[in-house]
Amino acid sequence: MQRNRDKERENMEGSNQCKKKLRVCVATCNRADYSKLAPIMFGIKSHPDDFELEVVVLGSHLIDDYGNTFRMIEQDDFDIGSKLHTIVRGEDEAAMVESVGLALVKLPDVLQRLHPDILVVHGDRFDALALATAAALMNIRILHVEGGEVSGTIDDSIRHAISKLAHYHACCTRMAEQHLIAMCEDHARILLAGCPSYDKLLLTHQRGDYLDIIKSWLGDNVQEGNYIVALQHPVTTDIQHSIKIYGLMLDALLSFDKKTLILFPNIDAGSKEMVRVMRRKGIEQHPNFRAVKHIPFEQFIQLVCHAGCMIGNSSCGVREAGAFGTPVINLGTRQTGRETGENVLHVRDADSHNKIFHALELQFGKRYPCSKIYGDGNAVPRILKFLQSIDLDEPLQKTFCFPPVKDSISQDIDHILETQSALAIDLGGTNLRVAIICMKGSVVKKYVQPNPRTFEDRMSLILRMCRDAMKDAVCLNCRILGVGVSTGGRVNPQAGVVLHSTNLIQEWSSVDLRTPISDALHLPVWVDNDGNCAALAERKFGHGKGVENFVTVITGTGIGGGIIHHNELVHGSTFCAAELGHIVVSLEGPECSCGGHGCIEAYSSGMALQREAKKLHDEDLLKVEGVDMKLSEPITAAHLISAARMGNSKADAILNKAATALGAGIINILHIVNPTLVILSGVLASFYQAPVQRIISERALFSTKGTKVVTSDLEEPALLGAASMVLDYTTRRIY
């Protein structure tokens, strides 16, 4: 029995000896990425039976001007295996390139000596790119932390380049995971872990000594929630603009007159110029400011958590600050595309410090719901388990796939300060109308003038009315995004050209509307037929919203309309699709304005009904016995409808014929296009709705009998449709 026990013990010892520790090298380049890597390093260190930790320090950690932050790594009781001086000073674009080159020269010896099984790198710094490049070329497996995110500047390119070099990914958000998948990374090698820094900050931000920390950095008189944390870094792809924004931020903070803790920018190109701006404005000597190079992460988190506001372009503002509900103002484009909680207000650009000052007024002192977009405090256990699952015997070669990715949406200061709007133009036969229309479909202001007869006068009036509207838009706080034009006739919307005009608008054929309007107003211009515009208006603002297939029929002076099929407007090969008024319902019918016979328009339009009303009036058959209709010229379709309602059989017969013709034409549309909805628009819509619905139920094929006919609720379909062309296109932007 003793022999069996000895043998069992030997087998267990042999099994333990066979179990190889995973040799993990963690490389850190600066104070920011150490805050994300430190929790992982502590986790690895706490599992000595499973892992062997090596630490490499390089980059700005070793520079005095940036706080010699390698010391905090030593204070955390980590043994630094290698310190590499890799930064070429200069803080410009060339120095960044030279720093990458210097790191690539020094890293091979270190990696060859350490011979790690896996290298852990973080984020999007140029130093990290050198690390990933060296490791990939030396066939060392790479775990990339925080890949798949979208921000701005050169960081995006570097981050994605590291992701392509990395073999494994520990990402923070579901969207980042989807981005990595869309970038062809193998889903099996992606871990949705959350941000490692959240493991620490969610535990430490409620420390009871936070008031002592605030006072130690900002003075004894500063209260919780009554100070600002400012941290702004250069944008390397647009250094001059980022310096300008930095100066405007400082001006706004000086005017706002609150105690401010401001951290020096990082080592990216442009940082020297930003420091010069800070010193030129006397920030370091100003009583309201405390300028520092480095704050330990645990204390920095306390300061962010209890601040009245954080301002700048640090990733901490769009990531960690959300966990506390701290209000944040994100300046410029450095974090464009980042997922954020509702606590973040973006100021993309500014010409003066007023916009930033207004953002401070909006944000300072608010508290927002805590957001855990970037983590739930359990990232490190997930990452350690993921590391343990890595099979060192599996091939290094990566495999790829191509799934979709979704977009991110966030707030923007311009959406708060200005109403995004369009200039809409409706070229009617009688009047020329221009309107400022906002995103919600409200007509902010409308301008109406008689439509001139000649081309020159008409164009001159259009431009004059548009310029007046643009001046008023400034006072009305509307941002004009473009111009939409609704006009009668056949239109090539791709070229912005009216090919053939209607009889109502003379001298309006082969007319390029887009070019003169765009050149004069310096705005993009869209042009389409008025019937198509009515359909677009219904799609964005009316009954067609959310309906994939529907038809709009305009019943006014003429008959027109538009067809929406699979959410897109149908134009046809020569731009004459949806000429609904000229569907023929009788071979022997009355003559139409198009020159044909038996068109719907010849029976059912306002002009056709007016013609029939005049005939009855001339024959003295429009009156109803015993009722004085007080007819006065001009006779219109309204008189015919009134007479029918009063019992005039002749008028009633004409209207029944008109409704039948319209219903028959719409049945033809149902049998060809098979929409789920018919929307009647125009002055005669309410009159035609019930009889057309009845005719469809009586005469249409069984499969289309149930098609619903509704009347439009929109008061200005042509103007709203013209505006929708602008608003749908120009607001397709992602933050």
Side-chain angles (χ1 to χ4, degrees), residues 129-307:
L129 179 60
L131 282 161
T133 302
L137 292 173
M138 296 178 71
N139 285 328
I140 297 170
R141 297 169 191 269
I142 302 165
L143 171 65
H144 185 205
V145 179
E146 289 190 9
E149 296 183 17
V150 179
S151 58
T153 78
I154 195 66
D155 293 354
D156 264 347
S157 300
I158 293 174
R159 186 187 311 108
H160 300 332
I162 296 171
S163 292
K164 300 315 297 176
L165 292 168
H167 304 86
Y168 306 95
H169 310 272
C171 60
C172 297
T173 69
R174 181 71 64 184
M175 190 176 292
E177 179 187 38
Q178 291 298 311
H179 288 157
L180 286 169
I181 293 170
M183 290 162 58
C184 315
E185 296 303 307
D186 185 354
H187 199 174
R189 293 190 173 194
I190 301 171
L191 171 69
L192 177 54
C195 182
S197 66
Y198 270 52
D199 290 25
K200 202 167 187 179
L201 67 89
L202 291 176
L203 290 174
T204 62
H205 82 275
Q206 291 296 347
R207 279 170 43 178
D209 62 348
Y210 68 88
L211 284 174
D212 295 333
I213 293 171
I214 292 170
K215 289 176 181 178
S216 69
W217 289 99
L218 287 160
D220 293 335
N221 297 324
V222 178
Q223 299 298 315
E224 175 186 3
N226 199 35
Y227 63 91
I228 296 169
V229 174
L231 178 53
Q232 179 89 348
H233 300 304
V235 178
T236 55
T237 50
D238 194 354
I239 293 172
Q240 293 306 313
H241 184 261
S242 65
I243 293 168
K244 169 195 160 188
I245 290 287
Y246 186 66
L248 294 175
M249 177 191 77
L250 296 178
D251 290 339
L253 289 170
L254 286 165
S255 300
F256 200 67
D257 197 27
K258 289 289 181 183
K259 201 73 175 179
T260 301
L261 178 70
I262 185 165
L263 280 81
F264 278 66
N266 66 18
I267 201 168
D268 283 350
S271 60
K272 275 188 176 179
E273 289 85 347
M274 292 175 75
V275 172
R276 288 193 192 104
V277 170
M278 184 171 70
R279 287 175 175 158
R280 196 161 55 241
K281 293 181 183 292
I283 296 300
E284 290 171 291
Q285 290 75 42
H286 196 284
N288 268 358
F289 288 81
R290 173 80 190 278
V292 297
K293 293 178 180 177
H294 168 66
I295 302 173
F297 181 72
E298 294 85 350
Q299 296 183 39
F300 182 64
I301 284 303
Q302 298 290 325
L303 292 163
V304 171
C305 173
H306 299 285

Side-chain angles (χ1 to χ4, degrees), residues 609-680:
L609 296 181
Q610 182 184 37
R611 182 184 64 242
E612 295 300 320
K614 284 182 177 179
K615 285 182 182 178
L616 291 180
H617 177 64
D618 292 344
E619 297 170 11
D620 204 23
L621 297 174
L622 196 57
K623 292 183 178 180
V624 180
E625 187 177 349
V627 178
D628 182 9
M629 294 184 63
K630 298 180 180 178
L631 293 178
S632 58
E633 292 294 331
I635 300 298
T636 66
H639 294 108
L640 191 71
I641 295 170
S642 296
R645 286 173 176 167
M646 293 177 189
N648 187 313
S649 60
K650 298 282 187 183
D652 189 59
I654 292 170
L655 291 175
N656 282 336
K657 194 173 186 180
T660 302
L662 181 62
I666 290 175
I667 288 172
N668 289 336
I669 298 169
L670 300 185
H671 292 170
I672 296 169
V673 184
N674 193 24
T676 56
L677 182 68
V678 175
I679 303 170
L680 297 182

Side-chain angles (χ1 to χ4, degrees), residues 454-730:
T454 66
F455 168 80
E456 291 78 10
D457 291 343
R458 197 174 296 138
M459 285 303 305
S460 175
L461 181 58
I462 288 172
L463 295 178
R464 187 166 68 251
M465 292 173 73
C466 285
R467 288 192 181 100
D468 290 344
M470 289 177 68
K471 288 178 184 176
D472 290 344
V474 176
C475 302
L476 295 167
N477 209 28
C478 294
R479 171 176 286 196
I480 302 299
L481 302 177
V483 182
V485 183
S486 168
T487 182
R490 188 162 64 96
V491 176
N492 179 346
Q494 299 166 4
V497 173
V498 181
L499 301 174
H500 296 107
S501 67
T502 65
N503 291 334
L504 296 175
I505 308 176
Q506 300 299 321
E507 295 185 29
W508 209 241
S509 294
S510 299
V511 171
D512 179 2
L513 286 180
R514 175 177 295 160
T515 301
I517 297 174
S518 181
D519 288 350
L521 304 180
H522 306 291
L523 287 170
V525 177
W526 287 264
V527 185
D528 213 329
N529 167 268
D530 51 8
N532 288 336
C533 285
L536 292 173
E538 294 294 340
R539 184 180 70 175
K540 188 168 182 66
F541 304 113
H543 292 300
K545 195 172 184 178
V547 180
E548 189 174 3
N549 301 288
F550 69 89
V551 173
T552 297
V553 181
I554 303 173
T555 57
T557 305
I559 301 289
I563 299 170
I564 300 293
H565 186 63
H566 294 318
N567 293 316
E568 296 295 331
L569 184 65
V570 177
H571 282 102
S573 59
T574 58
F575 313 107
C576 66
E579 285 289 352
L580 308 182
H582 301 292
I583 294 174
V584 176
V585 292
S586 171
L587 296 178
E588 305 299 330
E591 185 177 0
C592 180
S593 60
C594 69
H597 287 78
C599 300
I600 297 175
E601 190 169 290
Y603 287 102
S604 311
S605 66
M607 290 183 67
L609 296 181
Q610 182 184 37
R611 182 184 64 242
E612 295 300 320
K614 284 182 177 179
K615 285 182 182 178
L616 291 180
H617 177 64
D618 292 344
E619 297 170 11
D620 204 23
L621 297 174
L622 196 57
K623 292 183 178 180
V624 180
E625 187 177 349
V627 178
D628 182 9
M629 294 184 63
K630 298 180 180 178
L631 293 178
S632 58
E633 292 294 331
I635 300 298
T636 66
H639 294 108
L640 191 71
I641 295 170
S642 296
R645 286 173 176 167
M646 293 177 189
N648 187 313
S649 60
K650 298 282 187 183
D652 189 59
I654 292 170
L655 291 175
N656 282 336
K657 194 173 186 180
T660 302
L662 181 62
I666 290 175
I667 288 172
N668 289 336
I669 298 169
L670 300 185
H671 292 170
I672 296 169
V673 184
N674 193 24
T676 56
L677 182 68
V678 175
I679 303 170
L680 297 182
S681 178
V683 294
L684 298 171
S686 58
F687 169 76
Y688 279 132
Q689 188 267 333
V692 166
Q693 185 77 77
R694 175 178 52 78
I695 291 163
I696 290 173
S697 66
E698 292 173 355
R699 301 192 180 192
L701 290 174
F702 177 79
S703 56
T704 61
K705 283 181 183 292
T707 305
K708 192 173 181 182
V709 180
V710 299
T711 56
S712 174
D713 293 331
L714 303 178
E715 293 184 9
E716 299 284 359
L719 286 172
L720 290 174
S724 77
M725 293 189 288
V726 178
L727 299 174
D728 277 348
Y729 188 84
T730 55

Side-chain angles (χ1 to χ4, degrees), residues 412-452:
D412 191 293
I413 187 70
D414 289 326
H415 287 266
I416 295 172
L417 298 182
E418 295 181 303
T419 303
Q420 295 189 85
S421 306
L423 271 189
I425 302 171
D426 178 28
L427 285 156
T430 305
N431 291 322
L432 194 157
R433 302 185 303 157
V434 173
I436 302 169
I437 295 177
C438 72
M439 185 65 69
K440 293 181 180 179
S442 300
V443 178
V444 180
K445 190 168 184 180
K446 185 166 64 174
Y447 311 79
V448 182
Q449 292 286 343
N451 203 347

